Amino acid sequence: QVQQNMSSPEISSLSWGHMKVKGCSSSYKDCKVWPGGSRAWDWRETGTDHHPGVQPADLEEVLKKGIDLLVIGRGMSEALQVPSTTMDFVRQKGVNVKVLQTEKAVAEYNKLAGQGAKVGGVFHSTC
């Protein structure tokens, strides 16, 4: 049974190389969040790098969680690219996507989560 009331967890702190998600004891370098959960975003799993950047494979897991909106944090100095093919992939799933510098992305994500939106995020916390 799917819980309809699972809210997206707030990101409680962000600094260079460290992110904390409310209700989770471990800290992440890069993280994925969705309604009801979070985990480390490990680029080695998908062979991701700053160029060409975020791949559909990095987002698939979060998109499957029934979100309406995805926020992508491109890093503190926006070194992480988001190719148009990845943007198209997200939109084809019927999900809106916002790509922002990570501090702005986290602020936007927290604002939406606080409003009860079904929002997911992937955030890169270094360059």
Side-chain angles (χ1 to χ4, degrees):
Q1 184 179 335
V2 178
Q3 281 186 285
Q4 292 306 319
N5 62 350
M6 282 207 296
S7 56
S8 300
E10 185 193 330
I11 291 167
S12 53
S13 76
L14 166 68
S15 58
W16 185 277
H18 289 279
M19 300 189 67
K20 302 259 325 175
V21 176
K22 208 171 185 173
C24 179
S25 55
S26 56
S27 92
Y28 300 121
K29 179 175 164 280
D30 301 324
C31 79
K32 304 183 184 189
V33 283
W34 57 81
S38 67
R39 81 175 185 96
W41 178 17
D42 183 350
W43 291 11
R44 287 169 302 202
E45 289 174 17
T46 48
T48 292
D49 208 343
H50 290 95
H51 298 272
V54 181
Q55 304 176 77
D58 293 308
L59 306 176
E60 214 146 14
E61 173 180 24
V62 178
L63 292 170
K64 285 183 181 144
K65 306 287 185 182
I67 58 169
D68 299 324
L69 179 72
L70 177 70
V71 182
I72 299 175
R74 289 184 50 198
M76 297 302 204
S77 44
E78 300 186 82
L80 177 60
Q81 303 300 305
V82 184
S84 57
T85 47
T86 297
M87 300 290 278
D88 292 344
F89 171 80
V90 176
R91 293 192 187 111
Q92 278 160 8
K93 303 271 189 222
V95 173
N96 285 320
V97 60
K98 291 189 176 192
V99 178
L100 297 160
Q101 185 265 358
T102 293
E103 286 157 309
K104 294 190 178 109
V106 166
E108 180 69 15
Y109 166 86
N110 277 344
K111 188 181 87 182
L112 291 159
Q115 292 165 356
K118 290 214 270 295
V119 60
V122 296
F123 303 106
H124 176 48
S125 75
T126 54
C127 59

